[in-house]
Amino acid sequence: MAMGMMGSWVTHPKNPKLMPVDRDFVFLLSSYDIEPGSYTPRIAEMLNFNLWAFNSRVFPGTDPLVVRKNDRVRIRVGNLTMTNHPIHLHGHEFEVTGTDGGWVPKTARWPEVTTDIAVGQMRAIEFVANNPGDWAFHCHKSHHTMNPMGHDVPTLLGVKQGDLVKKIGNLVPDYMPMGATGMAEMSEMAGMMDMPLPENTLPMMSGTGQFGAIDMGGMFTTLKVREGLARNDYKDPGPYKNPKGTVAHEVINDLPPVERSEMTVPEGGTEMSVRKPMGHMEH
Ligand SMILES: [Cu+2]
């Protein structure tokens, strides 16, 4: 299992009228510790994994879930990793309709957009895909939507790095600094400069969409809801054509700048005292 040799077994009921759906997907969640440049996972690792996978694949290597508008969709997710995964869907509300114990009675279901899947658990979620578009489907732990991530790098947010990069580069060729304004800066830089990566690895956050960098990795894919697809058509239909007036854009106009009230600082400044807990002296 630590090498990725695993799969799902789905037994469909003999009676096709039992819990019918139009599209039925299944995911196994798995995780690996593969050093950049290496081809063999460290199989003795228990907790500190760096690759988080849907069916042993990570974004942008995952396929989209293609469905027709108004299809009833089931997504089954089983968790074979050593931690829980809050699985989240955009654009729709779903119900958990199945667990390892069987189908959930209709009266016991409630609307959700995220469901946590504990270690060793299986969940089936269902919804009607009534909202056309491209919708993210992903684990909600942010480091599970990243690819190989060094966890012990210093935080360089707000640090003016100047020629530091060049100086370090003299010592460590291919050195890549953590972005001063965040992760997006890094993946854009990596794309722009055609950064060389070690063999058999991926950028930490990558993927491009119709509006530019997606900055995701790991347990991430998209649900693509379209009208007019054939019954068995699962091919990627490409990016969604957003109807006019539904895409956010920068507002450019001649209006005067917004007036904001001045911040008043009392004379002599403000003194603040911070008390930290010091054990149980008063008890
Ligand atoms: Cu996760």
Side-chain angles (χ1 to χ4, degrees):
M1 224 165 72
M3 296 287 284
M5 290 293 285
M6 63 186 105
S8 315
W9 180 293
V10 177
T11 309
H12 293 284
K14 243 183 192 168
N15 175 6
K17 291 200 178 103
L18 181 74
M19 302 278 297
V21 286
D22 300 293
R23 304 230 166 177
D24 198 334
F25 300 93
V26 63
F27 282 111
L28 269 188
L29 308 179
S30 56
S31 58
Y32 307 92
D33 179 23
I34 307 177
E35 281 282 286
S38 151
Y39 283 77
T40 312
R42 286 201 280 223
I43 54 170
E45 180 55 54
M46 291 291 139
L47 290 170
N48 195 19
F49 301 97
N50 64 3
L51 281 167
W52 302 92
F54 276 173
N55 287 341
S56 296
R57 296 178 75 88
V58 295
F59 185 78
T62 47
D63 284 333
L65 309 173
V66 181
V67 309
R68 299 172 304 173
K69 192 188 170 193
N70 293 328
D71 267 350
R72 185 167 178 87
V73 181
R74 175 181 299 142
I75 307 175
R76 308 163 192 252
V77 187
N79 178 9
L80 288 179
T81 74
M82 288 302 116
T83 187
N84 61 312
H85 300 280
I87 297 293
H88 177 53
L89 174 65
H90 291 222
H92 299 81
E93 293 83 46
F94 60 76
E95 289 177 338
V96 174
T97 57
T99 75
D100 301 87
W103 298 118
V104 179
K106 275 196 180 138
T107 49
R109 302 176 191 169
W110 65 84
E112 269 298 2
V113 292
T114 304
T115 193
D116 198 30
I117 305 181
V119 178
Q121 275 186 335
M122 184 97 208
R123 290 285 178 267
I125 65 167
E126 285 178 35
F127 57 94
V128 175
N130 54 10
N131 201 0
D134 291 345
W135 304 104
F137 177 74
H138 62 97
C139 175
H140 229 305
K141 288 186 176 173
S142 42
H143 67 294
H144 293 182
T145 53
M146 291 177 185
N147 294 320
M149 166 85 185
H151 297 253
D152 24 12
V153 290
T155 302
L156 291 180
L157 286 175
V159 175
K160 291 198 180 69
Q161 298 180 52
D163 61 353
L164 179 71
V165 179
K166 219 160 79 190
K167 284 181 180 163
I168 297 180
N170 290 337
L171 300 167
V172 187
D174 301 340
Y175 168 72
M176 185 173 170
M178 178 73 86
T181 60
M183 302 287 196
E185 187 194 3
M186 269 183 90
S187 57
E188 273 155 28
M189 207 159 60
M192 242 157 43
M193 290 161 45
D194 221 353
M195 282 280 304
L197 286 169
E199 257 185 36
N200 195 35
T201 193
L202 283 162
M204 186 163 66
M205 300 173 95
S206 69
T208 43
Q210 57 178 321
F211 302 111
I214 292 180
D215 286 330
M216 284 292 179
M219 294 171 160
F220 182 95
T221 184
T222 44
L223 170 82
K224 296 195 171 190
V225 184
R226 296 290 188 276
E227 281 180 275
L229 295 180
R231 195 169 167 72
N232 280 315
D233 188 359
Y234 287 84
K235 274 197 314 289
D236 186 349
Y240 181 64
K241 286 187 189 69
N242 296 281
K244 229 182 148 197
T246 63
V247 177
H249 60 91
E250 190 183 353
V251 175
I252 297 163
N253 57 32
D254 303 328
L255 295 174
V258 177
E259 272 182 45
R260 299 187 196 278
S261 55
E262 292 263 312
M263 219 167 72
T264 50
V265 180
E267 237 173 279
T270 311
E271 205 170 289
M272 287 175 75
S273 57
V274 179
R275 259 199 270 169
K276 288 187 177 175
M278 298 284 286
H280 298 277
M281 287 181 296
E282 283 154 36
H283 292 262

